[in-house]
Amino acid sequence: MRGRVLALDCSLRLTGVALGEEGREVASEALDLGRRQAAELPLMVARLLEGAGWSVRDLDLVAVTSGPGYFTGIRVGAAYAAALAFGLGVGLVPIPSLEMLALSCPDCTASLALVYAGRGFVYAASHGVPEGCPAGEYGGEFVAEWMARHPGVQAISDDPQRAARAAELTFPIRAVRPDVRVLTGAAWARRDRAIDPKDLKVAYCRAPQGTE
């Protein structure tokens, strides 16, 4: 195995594609495609492969963000990643979208990742916090109370203003650009836990019981 990884993220505002080899970045691209994700994603992959001098048959592993996030984007990314991995006969590594956002902020040792969920809610999950906040869909009151109990935690989001408006949050939220490149290293480190593409499950979160 050469350790060549294709990573895909369609779960947040940007559509990201990255190539890595044994955890090292080779190439990446991130675009705001809106409703053109399904049509443009294969073209992005083809461009990166051509630029790296790889063919699709050179891939050893596929990684994809598995939600939560934007419903249509999650479906587009998951369907393409699963079909590609299945066709190539390689493993698939799903990585939660909120974890990718946290990994995109390497100096945030303890963070609460927030993503707009609509209807007065945000998707949220903590990272680097003992007995932290599990990934779920939460209202603003719960998130504000959780942050008040964890004063050393930094709130981060791909779109702080939208997340704050949705859940009426008043504490500072740091803007973090999702970095699809972090998925190649994370996926390679988890290659022994790759799943059969047919077993891929995505997360359309709701709040864990007792936290609504």
Side-chain angles (χ1 to χ4, degrees), residues 28-201:
S28 65
E29 184 176 9
L31 300 173
D32 189 349
L33 296 176
R35 297 179 181 275
R36 307 195 315 276
Q37 276 183 320
E40 294 289 337
L41 180 61
L43 301 179
M44 291 177 67
V45 172
R47 280 198 302 271
L48 281 193
L49 288 172
E50 182 179 4
W54 296 3
S55 79
V56 71
R57 292 288 174 187
D58 291 325
L59 296 174
D60 301 301
L61 196 65
V62 176
V64 66
T65 44
S66 55
Y70 299 149
F71 180 84
T72 301
I74 293 171
R75 290 173 63 89
V76 168
Y80 181 79
L84 183 61
F86 179 79
L88 294 174
V90 301
L92 180 64
V93 179
I95 298 177
S97 307
L98 295 170
E99 181 181 352
M100 180 199 65
L101 190 58
L103 292 172
S104 300
C105 185
D107 63 329
C108 298
T109 55
S111 64
L112 182 71
L114 303 170
V115 170
Y116 169 82
R119 307 178 311 282
F121 288 83
V122 290
Y123 302 120
S126 62
H127 299 86
V129 183
E131 300 181 1
C133 175
E137 186 176 329
Y138 300 99
E141 183 176 354
F142 173 84
V143 174
E145 290 177 354
W146 190 93
M147 284 293 293
R149 296 196 306 271
H150 299 81
V153 175
Q154 186 168 30
I156 63 174
S157 177
D158 64 322
D159 192 339
Q161 292 184 341
R162 197 178 190 203
R165 285 197 305 268
E168 299 182 355
L169 303 174
T170 58
F171 52 79
I173 305 174
R174 177 176 172 179
V176 173
R177 180 183 173 92
D179 188 351
V180 68
R181 297 175 297 178
V182 302
L183 297 181
T184 60
W188 181 245
R190 303 174 197 186
R191 60 190 179 279
D192 293 339
R193 289 181 274 162
I195 64 171
D196 186 306
K198 298 191 297 296
D199 296 330
L200 176 62
K201 296 180 180 179

